[in-house]
Amino acid sequence: MINFAPSVLSADFAKLSDELNLLERSNITYVHIDVMDGMFVPNISFGMPVIECIRKVSSLIFDTHLMIEKPERYIKEFADCGCDIIDFHIEACKDIPKTIKKIKSLGKKAGAAIKPKTDINDIIKYLDELDLALVMSVEPGFGGQKFMPESLKRVEKCADYISKNNLKCELEIDGGINLLNVKDAINAGANVIVAGSAVFKSSDPFEEIKKYKKIFSEFT
Ligand code: DX5
Ligand code: ZN
């Protein structure tokens, strides 16, 4: 089963509620929420107050991608404001096992994310404990960047480990996904697909989502 996780980073923030509603009308279950602190990445997006507001108008699964320094400081806050999956960057976190446990103890799914240039084994060693692993296919910080094809091998390596060890861990790919490369990402083993600009910057997001869903249906 492939889950599509459109990223609201590329949505119109003035009408976030409508954008989320559009996803629900498209029978999407996940929404990807990019939190940036201007430190871990050179950009600032939004934080808990915004997530708390959109939680009230949406029952989508909030897949929250924390691009922040020392994410362990804010796990409870992100759990309390309504996130369902909390993905922190392994590069930013001092105590990874403790942070995974903390997320789970709050009843949330624990995800970890890895930047394109970090050794992929640095996340593989935590796959047994994780609910989701997020492999970045662009440098984190901005929507609309070009897909890094070398990420496919990294996804494959994680997928291999997950299947060999019969793990439940979901495998997410994030950055530069479009209609031309999405099949490659799925073939590499990704089962949660993030797309920001490809959905929300298109002239008709509703129709665009249908095209992705058609591709996903070929894999089920
Ligand atoms: C980048 C973010 C991505 C971004 C994806 O730092 O983590 O989730 O929104 O946007 P696109 O699909 O436009 O690359
Ligand atoms: Zn993201």
Side-chain angles (χ1 to χ4, degrees):
M1 161 102 177
I2 314 285
N3 278 308
F4 198 27
S7 164
V8 288
L9 187 64
S10 298
D12 182 345
F13 289 175
K15 47 174 186 154
L16 265 184
S17 173
D18 297 342
E19 305 277 52
L20 293 168
N21 191 266
L22 179 139
L23 299 183
E24 289 188 33
R25 278 190 290 119
S26 306
N27 288 321
I28 298 283
T29 45
Y30 284 33
V31 60
H32 187 78
I33 299 180
D34 289 303
V35 176
M36 302 178 181
D37 68 352
M39 293 291 286
F40 181 69
V41 288
N43 196 7
I44 298 177
S45 57
F46 50 77
M48 290 80 84
V50 172
I51 299 175
E52 197 176 355
C53 287
I54 58 174
R55 181 72 286 172
K56 291 183 190 135
V57 296
S58 173
S59 51
L60 291 164
I61 295 169
F62 282 10
D63 170 40
T64 313
H65 180 188
L66 301 183
M67 286 162 274
I68 64 174
E69 284 294 350
K70 300 192 185 136
E72 56 273 24
R73 293 173 297 162
Y74 291 110
I75 299 304
K76 182 155 183 350
E77 284 78 357
F78 280 106
D80 287 349
C81 73
C83 301
D84 298 296
I85 310 173
I86 301 178
D87 316 320
F88 64 92
H89 266 272
I90 56 166
E91 301 87 352
C93 183
K94 285 247 162 61
D95 192 337
I96 294 170
K98 193 171 163 197
T99 306
I100 295 173
K101 280 201 194 95
K102 170 96 182 169
I103 297 172
K104 289 186 173 177
S105 76
L106 294 164
K108 306 296 177 180
K109 283 193 172 177
I114 184 164
K115 298 200 319 181
K117 297 205 176 89
T118 306
D119 186 341
I120 197 68
N121 293 310
D122 290 357
I123 196 166
I124 287 178
K125 61 184 174 213
Y126 297 110
L127 291 178
D128 299 66
E129 300 157 55
L130 287 168
D131 295 305
L132 181 146
L134 188 170
V135 177
M136 291 294 309
S137 40
V138 297
E139 283 297 336
F142 300 90
Q145 303 182 77
K146 198 171 166 300
F147 181 73
M148 299 167 78
E150 57 272 32
S151 317
L152 294 172
K153 283 259 168 310
R154 294 160 62 77
V155 171
E156 268 171 30
K157 253 189 128 175
C158 294
D160 245 33
Y161 185 94
I162 290 170
S163 96
K164 280 194 185 121
N165 293 282
N166 213 7
L167 303 179
K168 289 221 168 64
C169 183
E170 293 183 275
L171 187 52
E172 178 169 44
I173 188 162
D174 180 12
I177 294 291
N178 57 40
L179 285 168
L180 300 176
N181 59 25
V182 66
K183 278 189 188 174
D184 296 337
I186 298 169
N187 282 326
N191 57 13
V192 182
I193 309 290
V194 177
S197 46
V199 170
F200 288 109
K201 299 287 187 211
S202 74
S203 54
D204 188 341
F206 192 75
E207 286 305 314
E208 205 62 20
I209 289 170
K210 277 192 197 159
K211 296 179 194 164
Y212 284 89
K213 293 195 91 166
K214 187 162 178 290
I215 294 176
F216 301 156
S217 69
E218 294 168 20
F219 289 86
T220 46

